[in-house]
Amino acid sequence: MKTFFIAALPRSGTAWVSNFLTTGDSICLHDGIKYITDGYANTLQATGRRFCGDSGSHIQMIYKELLEAFPDAKFAAIVRSPSDVIDSLKDMLMPIDGLEESRNQLFEMITSNEDILVVRFEDLFNDESKARELWEHCIGVGFDPIRWRLLAKLNVQCSDKALDETIQFVKDKKAINILNL
């Protein structure tokens, strides 16, 4: 599995994507690359999990540095209407400072590299083929449509362990019909 990075504006699904792309012993961080230190890496290693990617609203700000440090990495971008981003930030009482610069850097990142996969925010939750495309771009094989359907339907941002336990319970109990999947 190659390293990957997902860029987006704030409030554009990056926490959800980090849960979605965390699998097995590999973990996709959410806004984690800016916190990685030897101590953090050692803690992650002690858990038996390995860093495979990061999904966050800061990726476009350090895109060139990441590309240089990880020349084989895959990159993707989640795009959401700026007005929806602003509304969501205001709903969460979060500042909108720096949003225009972040948007410009995201646009520059997307237009500078034809290998960057671009996915609309809405498609993460409503279009299984687009979610599969993101999965295959970043992870490769092993897309689990049931996991995606549960995540898309729940649209929660909980820990991957709790989510995996919920998904396994649903599979074990064959409760899929209850959830209309």
Side-chain angles (χ1 to χ4, degrees), residues 16-164:
W16 184 90
V17 165
S18 71
N19 281 313
F20 174 59
L21 295 176
T22 292
T23 178
D25 64 350
S26 297
I27 187 166
C28 175
L29 303 174
H30 176 247
D31 283 334
I33 199 73
K34 61 186 173 185
Y35 301 113
I36 288 188
T37 64
D38 288 338
Y40 185 84
N42 289 339
T43 302
L44 188 59
Q45 187 176 22
T47 67
R49 303 185 95 179
R50 83 172 189 83
F51 165 77
C52 64
D54 191 10
S55 174
S57 58
H58 63 285
I59 299 295
Q60 63 269 22
M61 307 293 215
I62 56 172
Y63 168 68
K64 292 176 183 172
E65 292 86 351
L66 289 172
L67 192 56
E68 187 174 312
F70 300 92
D72 294 330
K74 296 282 190 172
F75 286 86
I78 301 167
V79 293
R80 185 178 189 192
S81 159
S83 63
D84 289 346
V85 169
I86 291 169
D87 289 346
S88 184
L89 287 168
K90 286 180 179 178
D91 287 347
M92 299 297 293
L93 303 176
M94 297 172 72
I96 59 172
D97 300 347
L99 193 59
E100 185 174 351
E101 179 185 357
S102 183
R103 180 186 58 85
N104 291 341
Q105 289 178 326
L106 183 62
F107 179 77
E108 181 182 325
M109 184 186 115
I110 291 169
T111 57
S112 71
N113 185 338
E114 64 185 35
D115 293 328
I116 294 176
L117 176 68
V118 179
V119 179
R120 289 181 340 124
F121 169 78
E122 298 81 5
D123 291 342
L124 292 172
F125 312 104
N126 299 316
D127 187 337
E128 182 177 331
S129 67
K130 293 296 184 184
R132 178 184 298 269
E133 186 178 9
L134 177 64
W135 179 277
E136 290 173 354
H137 180 77
C138 296
I139 304 294
V141 298
F143 176 76
D144 183 348
I146 294 174
R147 178 180 170 85
W148 172 77
R149 286 184 198 122
L150 285 171
L151 276 170
K153 196 170 203 89
L154 298 173
N155 192 8
V156 295
Q157 298 176 9
C158 61
S159 74
D160 60 288
K161 182 178 181 207
L163 188 59
D164 286 343

